[in-house]
Amino acid sequence: MRSPVNFFESVIIAWESVIANKLRSLLTMLGIIIGVSSVITVSALGQSGRAAINKEMDAFGANRFSIYYRYDSDDPITDADGFTLQDVVTIKEISPAVENMAPISWDSANIRSKGKEIGVEIVATTADYTEIANLKLDAGRFFSNEDDDAKRYVAVISESLAKELFSSSAAIGKKIMVSNRPFKVIGVLAREESIFSMGMDSKLMYIPISTYFSFSGSNWINNIEGKAVSQTEVDKAIEHSLNILHRRHRNENKYNAWNSQKEIDSVNQVTGIVTLVISAIAGISLLVGGIGIMNIMLVSVTERTREIGIRKALGARETDIMIQFLIEALVLSFSGGILGMFLGFGLSQIIAMFIKIPAVISWQMIALAFAFSAVVGVCFGLYPARKAAYQDPIEALRYE
């Protein structure tokens, strides 16, 4: 059995060869460095983006769902198909999978306050909506069921609207005119920092839905928002809601549902595919790097032909020569892989910081970098190693 010292000696010899030809070695490793760093950067950003989106969707409500009209149906939606406040109450009472339900009526209007006139989006709903949408208040309170039952003219406004009309802290108690009706501001929503907001904060105004019905003259509900008791019960909550609505309105296939978990699954699938495709494109650099290693190893075989002849004359076997040159290829490849790994980690951190998402770096990426390096080193170092190993010793000794 041959001593394992030979392996370590081969590694030392290979490393000394790399150090002795620094510039040539660096240029040889450049393709590996670029390839590994590109793959790691793309993979890290893919995982970071997926984690950030999932976090945002969880904050949005993983067990949240919405019921809406199917306008794509051949049977058009009529007034008889319209959602009612009693629908919402019935679903919440009957379905054990539903925790909260709230009707939503959307409208737009120009509001006036202190001589300013601003276009806003009006969201008419009930008190349950705060739990469903996970709304946070910066000041004041959200309207209650009592406000809704009494049809009080109260409003909760977004932070950007409060800032434009008043200073946010001074908005509570102020009056806003909507269709010549004075609404009292009782709450200001906290600004939501989200990767989906793109720095925008819509000018929104939330009011009790019964109040909206009384002054608008319309009882139309655009959709119903719901929250299941748990994430595992979302499908059951949707099924119960649709069945109850179809029975109450005596129709079929007039309503459909959306839930955030489907969006999370879709996002994960899309980001996974995009990451895989871009990583495959970046992996082309590894192929180029492997060709560079093969090229420089062939040059090295030519330069060291006499050395190969001397070693064979002194008793070195073909496997010894092959292992020596293969180890040199692996040292080049691993060195490039390590440099590419650190470069990839650095780039992913910088890009993640720039686009304001947390950088996710896993041990799987480190294993991936070493695996790529090993595969490239073996695949592209094998041919030069075989060529060196099967040199004719007499011809090698004559080589000038």
Side-chain angles (χ1 to χ4, degrees):
M1 180 180 294
R2 297 183 63 82
S3 171
V5 175
N6 289 334
F7 172 78
F8 295 109
E9 287 179 352
S10 297
V11 172
I12 293 170
I13 293 170
W15 182 246
E16 288 174 348
S17 176
V18 170
I19 297 299
N21 301 279
K22 297 184 183 66
L23 182 58
R24 187 173 77 174
S25 299
L26 181 61
L27 292 174
T28 303
M29 294 185 291
L30 195 58
I32 302 294
I33 294 170
I34 294 172
V36 170
S37 63
S38 299
V39 171
I40 287 181
T41 301
V42 170
S43 300
L45 291 176
Q47 290 188 23
S48 299
R50 192 179 302 122
I53 292 170
N54 286 345
K55 182 180 178 182
E56 293 290 340
M57 294 300 289
D58 285 339
F60 177 77
N63 52 346
R64 181 176 174 180
F65 64 95
S66 177
I67 308 294
Y68 55 91
Y69 302 107
R70 285 193 59 186
Y71 288 105
D72 60 337
S73 174
D74 293 334
D75 191 7
I77 301 296
T78 65
D79 289 341
D81 303 316
F83 301 129
T84 66
L85 296 179
Q86 189 57 46
D87 289 337
V88 177
V89 174
T90 303
I91 292 171
K92 189 175 177 180
E93 288 178 349
I94 293 178
S95 175
V98 174
E99 182 176 351
N100 296 104
M101 291 293 285
I104 306 289
S105 289
W106 291 88
D107 203 351
S108 59
N110 290 325
I111 64 170
R112 288 182 289 107
S113 180
K114 290 188 173 182
K116 296 180 180 178
E117 186 167 333
I118 302 172
V120 300
E121 295 292 329
I122 294 176
V123 183
T125 184
T126 59
D128 272 7
Y129 188 70
T130 53
E131 296 296 326
I132 296 169
N134 197 24
L135 296 179
K136 306 296 181 186
L137 291 173
D138 188 48
R141 66 177 180 87
F142 204 79
F143 50 80
S144 63
N145 289 324
E146 289 75 17
D147 293 324
D148 193 30
D149 293 339
K151 301 180 181 178
R152 292 176 183 144
Y153 284 78
V154 293
V156 177
I157 61 178
S158 63
E159 188 263 354
S160 64
L161 182 57
K163 189 174 289 185
E164 188 162 343
L165 291 174
F166 331 96
S167 65
S168 297
S169 59
I172 305 301
K174 293 295 195 301
K175 292 288 195 288
I176 295 176
M177 299 298 293
V178 182
S179 300
N180 295 321
R181 305 292 179 94
F183 279 78
K184 180 181 178 182
V185 177
I186 61 171
V188 177
L189 294 174
R191 183 180 179 87
E192 293 185 9
E193 295 295 338
S194 168
I195 61 173
F196 300 116
S197 64
M198 300 298 182
M200 297 184 294
D201 185 21
S202 300
K203 294 177 177 61
L204 294 174
M205 178 177 175
Y206 292 85
I207 63 174
I209 196 164
S210 296
T211 306
Y212 173 74
F213 287 165
S214 68
F215 83 82
S216 70
S218 170
N219 289 343
W220 186 256
I221 296 173
N222 296 95
N223 63 291
I224 299 174
E225 296 276 345
K227 181 181 179 182
V229 294
S230 68
Q231 193 170 344
T232 57
E233 295 290 298
V234 173
D235 290 339
K236 188 179 294 184
I238 290 173
E239 182 183 356
H240 290 173
S241 299
L242 292 175
N243 287 339
I244 291 168
L245 286 169
H246 284 128
R247 284 202 306 269
R248 282 181 54 80
H249 293 271
R250 298 179 181 179
N251 57 28
E252 293 181 359
N253 299 321
K254 288 296 186 76
Y255 316 111
N256 212 338
W258 167 93
N259 75 83
S260 57
Q261 187 57 47
K262 290 182 179 178
E263 297 298 319
I264 293 173
D265 293 340
S266 297
V267 165
N268 287 339
Q269 184 178 6
V270 171
T271 54
I273 293 171
V274 171
T275 300
L276 183 63
V277 170
I278 298 177
S279 296
I281 295 171
I284 295 173
S285 297
L286 289 172
L287 180 63
V288 175
I291 294 171
I293 288 177
M294 180 185 287
N295 181 57
I296 206 66
M297 290 305 299
L298 288 171
V299 172
S300 180
V301 170
T302 303
E303 290 176 345
R304 295 160 63 184
T305 301
R306 283 183 61 82
E307 176 193 328
I308 295 168
I310 292 170
R311 291 184 65 183
K312 281 196 168 187
L314 293 175
R317 299 179 303 180
E318 291 176 346
T319 53
D320 296 326
I321 305 295
M322 181 179 291
I323 289 172
Q324 175 64 51
F325 279 86
L326 193 57
I327 287 174
E328 290 185 19
L330 283 170
V331 166
L332 279 171
S333 184
F334 271 124
S335 299
I338 291 170
L339 291 174
M341 181 178 66
F342 284 112
L343 179 61
F345 288 163
L347 284 173
S348 60
Q349 291 279 358
I350 293 169
I351 296 172
M353 188 185 304
F354 182 74
I355 60 178
K356 297 180 180 180
I357 62 174
V360 178
I361 297 173
S362 64
W363 287 103
Q364 289 87 343
M365 292 182 195
I366 298 175
L368 184 69
F370 279 103
F372 275 144
S373 301
V375 169
V376 170
V378 171
C379 291
F380 290 92
L382 192 59
Y383 174 70
R386 283 178 57 84
K387 184 176 180 180
Y390 291 103
Q391 290 270 10
D392 183 88
I394 297 174
E395 293 296 328
L397 285 170
R398 290 177 179 173
Y399 185 81
E400 293 294 337

